[in-house]
Amino acid sequence: MKLTKEGIKNTAEWESKGYSLPKFDRAAVEAATKANPFWIHFGAGNIFRAFQANVVQNLLNDGVLERGLVVAEGYDYEIIEKMYRPHDNIGALVTLKSNGSVEKTVVGSIMEALAADSDNQNDWARLLEIFRSPSLQMVTFTITEKGYLLRNAAGVMMPGVEEDFAAGPVLPKSYIGKVVTLLHERYVNGELPVAMVSMDNCSHNGDKLYAAVNEFAQEWENRGVCKPGFLSYVNNASKVSFPWTMIDKITPRPDSKIEKILADDGIEQLEPVITSKKTYVAPFVNAEECQYLVIEDNFPNGRPELEKAGLYFTDRATVDKVEKMKVCTCLNPLHTFLAVSGCLLGYTLIADEMKDEDLLTLVKRLGYEEGLPVVVDPGIIKPRDFIDEVVNIRIPNPFMPDTPQRIACDTSQKLSIRFGETIKGYLGRSDLNVADLKVIPLVFALWLRYLMAYDDSGNAFELSPDPLLDDVRTYVSGIVPNETVAELEKRVGNLLHRKEIFGVDLYEAGLKDLVIKYFSMMIKGTESIRDLLHLIATNSSFIIHSAKI
């Protein structure tokens, strides 16, 4: 049994092992897709394979669609070369349910996989051809929030961007430069309409994509290196749209326990690949059952009936409410709290943290007591129902191999949205008092302690990747146990002023004293983090007192 075109032809064998297989004529779908592509996705990672690819497979199985997906990878080309092509773009999805059962699906909806590499003549030529196609309706993205950045936090241009600004739409090197070059190709071939749809897990994702594309278009027109009128095309909503979306599906790194399940079924060649860029990919993905994708219904060239696969299409205001509900309150902040605390307490599985009475108490306080008061009910999904599912089913799912170390990646990029927006909500309301926020300042203090890179038992650990690590670690360098609050403020005070990290100036918000007090209590010695967490979780009077330092 192999995850290839030939390997899945013995349907009886696969089905006898409990696998759902593609129920459509894959050769016919592939031909139709190549002739008239309708959806190309950038970002060939796990979330795409577990979510969007499976959505399309279900619609192909039901006869709603007759064409499949094209995927392009613009950062780590080895994913295409070493994982997609050897398996004929076919993979296995293992859905992990909270009752311990698994659902096994062979996903075969991806018809082309291309390296978005301007040095790869064949793949680049095919990408240009796809963008010239009048049938193309959707260009979607899961390239992570940092994929849209043209500059780093210090204001320095990301690699390749300045060169792409100067060269125009010719052999681009930066990720967004490639995307805008392809969009320019669509412009010069008839100003064809298309929706550019970020499906990344970040606030107002469509605006982030638009800002990057628009800056490229402005630079190119100003420098006279593109066809005149391209900037107007990018800004003509009847031609190019940048819808907002909210996506939610936990998709951990492919797990060895899942690999064993598949291998025991008789599937061969399951070995994962770790690319030279440290991407970990396997012929299978594992993911939770719950999933949400809410999309602003703004598609200048029409769109497929994705609502028939459970996706929500609505207006921008509703997407914003759902996104804030999830990213700022009901899921992402809880995950970040568990990520940094889990690393410090030596946990390696998020689900195990939910068995920790202190952490469970603080997770509930963070979500229900501190977050929910500022949530606006979006109407299509009830906030309390959503957070109930998160706290009671999704995060505690013992069969989800998700780690605090994975979720701790890029924390500096997440704090402003996951916590800063709630703080702003409190500051902007007369019926709420920012001084009532106790767990959010605790998260900030835990992050400072996390940056010191040793756990509550005194053991060193490796910090998860983060673009600002070298910068922010300077603030905690050299701190020794039992430094006073005043000494700590001299060290970390300037960091707490940084709105781009926390979403607000913690001095102006009135939260810096509590953050520093918590931090000071975490550096007293081994088990000091546990002692503080237990004290806060079990003694609310301590919290109120400590806020008055």
Side-chain angles (χ1 to χ4, degrees):
M1 296 171 68
K2 294 181 180 180
L3 289 163
T4 61
K5 287 180 183 178
E6 288 298 318
I8 65 171
K9 283 185 176 178
N10 187 347
T11 57
E13 184 178 18
W14 285 88
E15 289 172 354
S16 71
K17 302 288 180 66
Y19 290 82
S20 297
L21 294 168
K23 296 179 175 61
F24 48 89
D25 183 336
R26 198 164 184 274
V29 170
E30 183 175 349
T33 303
K34 289 183 176 179
N36 294 290
F38 77 100
W39 182 352
I40 183 169
H41 183 89
F42 285 85
N46 294 328
I47 183 68
F48 162 72
R49 295 164 65 199
F51 199 166
Q52 289 90 343
N54 195 45
V55 162
V56 171
Q57 167 132 321
N58 290 335
L59 294 175
L60 286 166
N61 286 341
D62 293 342
V64 176
L65 294 178
E66 297 178 345
R67 293 168 292 170
L69 282 160
V70 180
V71 67
E73 175 55 45
Y75 172 70
D76 194 340
Y77 313 132
E78 290 179 53
I79 298 174
I80 302 298
E81 299 160 1
K82 295 182 178 180
M83 190 53 59
Y84 276 78
R85 287 180 177 156
H87 293 278
D88 300 325
N89 306 329
I90 293 169
L93 165 62
V94 180
T95 302
L96 309 168
K97 301 189 176 183
S98 58
N99 65 5
S101 64
V102 298
E103 209 172 73
K104 300 176 289 190
T105 306
V106 174
V107 179
S109 61
I110 303 166
M111 300 300 146
E112 286 187 270
L114 303 165
D117 175 8
S118 61
D119 291 330
N120 184 324
Q121 294 184 3
N122 291 335
D123 283 17
W124 189 248
R126 176 57 182 155
L127 285 167
L128 291 168
E129 182 181 20
I130 288 169
F131 272 76
R132 289 193 294 267
S133 175
S135 63
L136 184 64
Q137 296 174 311
M138 300 170 59
V139 182
T140 59
F141 302 82
T142 51
I143 61 176
T144 76
E145 183 170 2
K146 59 189 175 185
Y148 306 103
L149 296 177
L150 302 187
R151 298 168 185 81
N152 65 19
V156 177
M157 284 286 186
M158 300 296 281
V161 171
E162 181 56 45
E163 293 86 343
D164 289 348
F165 277 171
V170 181
L171 301 179
K173 301 303 179 188
S174 66
Y175 208 134
I176 293 299
K178 298 168 191 176
V179 170
V180 186
T181 296
L182 293 167
L183 187 59
H184 183 267
E185 184 75 6
R186 193 161 182 80
Y187 167 64
V188 300
N189 282 274
E191 300 185 32
L192 299 171
V194 72
M196 305 288 285
V197 190
S198 170
M199 293 181 174
D200 270 299
N201 180 21
C202 55
S203 179
H204 300 173
N205 46 21
D207 285 355
K208 289 179 170 56
L209 176 58
Y210 165 74
V213 171
N214 184 63
E215 184 169 349
F216 256 94
Q218 285 180 324
E219 286 289 338
W220 285 353
E221 287 229 355
N222 290 342
R223 301 183 189 210
V225 293
C226 69
K227 181 179 178 180
F230 180 53
L231 179 61
S232 295
Y233 168 72
V234 166
N235 283 277
N236 183 344
S238 68
K239 295 290 187 181
V240 184
S241 67
F242 296 87
W244 291 4
T245 70
M246 189 287 291
I247 190 169
D248 184 20
K249 187 177 181 73
I250 300 173
T251 310
R253 194 175 85 165
D255 187 76
S256 59
K257 294 188 293 292
I258 306 306
E259 181 181 347
K260 185 177 186 306
I261 291 173
L262 303 184
D264 288 347
D265 286 340
I267 302 180
E268 304 170 47
Q269 299 176 348
L270 289 169
E271 295 77 15
V273 169
I274 301 176
T275 70
S276 59
K277 291 188 175 180
K278 307 303 182 185
T279 307
Y280 186 103
V281 287
F284 65 93
V285 288
N286 37 242
E288 66 170 339
E289 183 177 14
C290 300
Q291 61 185 34
Y292 299 89
L293 183 50
V294 183
I295 306 173
E296 179 187 354
D297 200 355
N298 185 5
F299 291 78
N301 201 27
R303 63 168 176 82
E305 296 179 288
L306 300 179
E307 62 270 27
K308 291 186 175 180
L311 306 192
Y312 297 85
F313 287 87
T314 184
D315 56 55
R316 174 169 285 200
T318 302
V319 175
D320 188 41
K321 291 174 185 175
V322 176
E323 183 266 327
K324 285 181 177 175
M325 176 192 75
K326 179 246 180 178
V327 174
C328 304
T329 307
C330 295
L331 174 61
N332 294 26
L334 313 188
H335 256 162
T336 292
F337 166 70
L338 290 169
V340 291
S341 59
C343 292
L344 289 167
L345 296 178
Y347 282 102
T348 57
L349 195 66
I350 285 289
D352 286 345
E353 293 187 70
M354 296 297 278
K355 302 172 188 174
D356 184 315
E357 288 299 323
D358 293 334
L359 296 181
L360 179 60
T361 297
L362 294 169
V363 159
K364 289 181 176 179
R365 191 177 296 170
L366 176 62
Y368 289 102
E369 297 180 23
E370 298 194 359
L372 272 182
V374 298
V375 173
V376 178
D377 190 338
I380 60 174
I381 303 170
K382 292 186 179 300
R384 183 165 286 274
D385 290 347
F386 187 91
I387 198 170
D388 283 346
E389 184 180 58
V390 167
V391 170
N392 298 317
I393 298 173
R394 297 178 66 186
I395 299 179
N397 184 343
F399 307 99
M400 280 289 293
D402 211 358
T403 69
Q405 291 74 25
R406 182 189 78 87
I407 297 171
C409 291
D410 303 329
T411 298
S412 73
Q413 309 297 292
K414 299 171 179 175
L415 296 173
S416 64
I417 297 300
R418 298 187 178 191
F419 303 100
E421 292 303 309
T422 295
I423 296 170
K424 291 175 187 176
Y426 274 72
L427 292 171
R429 295 241 314 250
S430 60
D431 61 325
L432 295 174
N433 186 351
V434 74
D436 292 333
L437 296 174
K438 309 302 178 184
V439 186
I440 288 177
L442 175 63
V443 179
F444 295 156
L446 284 164
W447 181 60
L448 296 178
R449 178 62 180 79
Y450 163 87
L451 293 174
M452 297 175 73
Y454 65 91
D455 66 20
D456 204 23
S457 299
N459 301 313
F461 63 84
E462 183 178 354
L463 296 174
S464 300
D466 187 312
L468 290 187
L469 271 188
D470 290 343
D471 175 5
V472 295
R473 289 201 70 195
T474 61
Y475 293 92
V476 300
S477 176
I479 289 177
V480 297
N482 293 312
E483 286 198 21
T484 67
V485 167
E487 289 169 335
L488 289 175
E489 183 171 354
K490 289 179 182 178
R491 291 182 180 274
V492 302
N494 286 338
L495 176 59
L496 302 186
H497 278 297
R498 291 177 63 172
K499 294 181 180 181
E500 81 277 14
I501 290 178
F502 298 102
V504 295
D505 182 324
L506 295 179
Y507 278 73
E508 295 174 359
L511 293 173
K512 66 92 176 174
D513 284 345
L514 192 52
V515 172
I516 296 172
K517 175 65 175 178
Y518 285 156
F519 183 39
S520 72
M521 299 185 73
M522 293 182 194
I523 62 168
K524 292 184 179 300
T526 58
E527 304 300 320
S528 59
I529 298 172
R530 168 59 70 185
D531 290 344
L532 177 63
L533 292 174
H534 183 69
L535 197 57
I536 296 172
T538 58
N539 188 341
S540 60
S541 63
F542 162 78
I543 303 171
I544 295 169
H545 173 72
S546 66
K548 298 177 180 178
I549 59 172

